[in-house]
Amino acid sequence: MYNNAGNLVFGPVEALGRGSNLPTNGFDHTQWIKKDADVPTGEYATSVIAPGPSIFSYGPYNRVWLHPALSGDAKIAEEAGRNGILIHGGELTTDKSLPWYPLRPTFGCIRLENSNQKALIEAIEHAGGGTGMITINNLLKIYEVNAPWNKI
């Protein structure tokens, strides 16, 4: 994350935007247009919201809500009914055999390790908080393109 002056204020950190293989997405997490699948690429408006109801699933810290979608696959998915995409923390997996270890797939959000989620929220607050814009590319690197925070 870069501030408006172009200074690095957070990251880079590991993040996982992999969805789950559930009936709601045809047992295929790669179908980004469907609920619970991988995070669609594109631009999103963002805002910081309260922690989730489950510390195991969302971690204990505030979350970043990616809404509304502004362009790219994100906009296509939202127009098809997909919503509720967040950046949040959550408990790590202990199974080192999994290809995404130590992060766990979500139901269509981006997961950070809890301490990284805390640091992200603190960096956003230190940069002025509020809302911003994020671009997610195919590598699931996150870039903010508008004030108050600039890149993740």
Side-chain angles (χ1 to χ4, degrees):
M1 178 174 129
Y2 295 87
N3 62 18
N4 286 337
N7 300 317
L8 182 69
V9 296
F10 173 76
V13 299
E14 287 185 300
L16 183 65
R18 185 183 187 280
S20 296
N21 294 328
L22 296 174
T24 53
N25 58 23
F27 302 101
D28 182 356
H29 68 87
T30 65
Q31 299 296 313
W32 52 262
I33 201 165
K34 297 181 180 180
K35 180 178 167 66
D36 302 327
D38 291 356
V39 175
T41 59
E43 291 184 343
Y44 298 83
T46 64
S47 56
V48 175
I49 61 173
S54 165
I55 289 176
F56 177 79
S57 294
Y58 299 104
Y61 305 108
N62 285 347
R63 301 165 292 163
V64 177
W65 185 25
L66 306 181
H67 179 78
L70 302 173
S71 67
D73 291 344
K75 183 78 170 164
I76 294 167
E78 186 175 272
E79 289 171 351
R82 179 145 185 215
N83 58 26
I85 301 171
L86 306 167
I87 300 172
H88 61 76
E91 295 295 322
L92 303 177
T93 184
T94 57
D95 186 348
K96 292 182 179 181
S97 71
L98 298 174
W100 51 82
Y101 172 85
L103 298 170
R104 292 183 297 118
T106 66
F107 292 105
C109 295
I110 297 172
R111 185 181 311 280
L112 302 180
E113 190 275 324
N114 283 332
S115 66
N116 288 333
Q117 182 69 14
K118 178 182 180 190
L120 169 63
I121 296 302
E122 288 172 349
I124 291 169
E125 290 170 353
H126 184 72
T131 61
M133 240 171 71
I134 286 179
T135 300
I136 299 182
N137 68 23
N138 288 330
L139 300 175
L140 289 182
K141 293 181 181 176
I142 307 166
Y143 298 96
E144 200 276 329
V145 293
N146 196 6
W149 31 289
N150 199 359
K151 289 184 185 175
I152 298 175

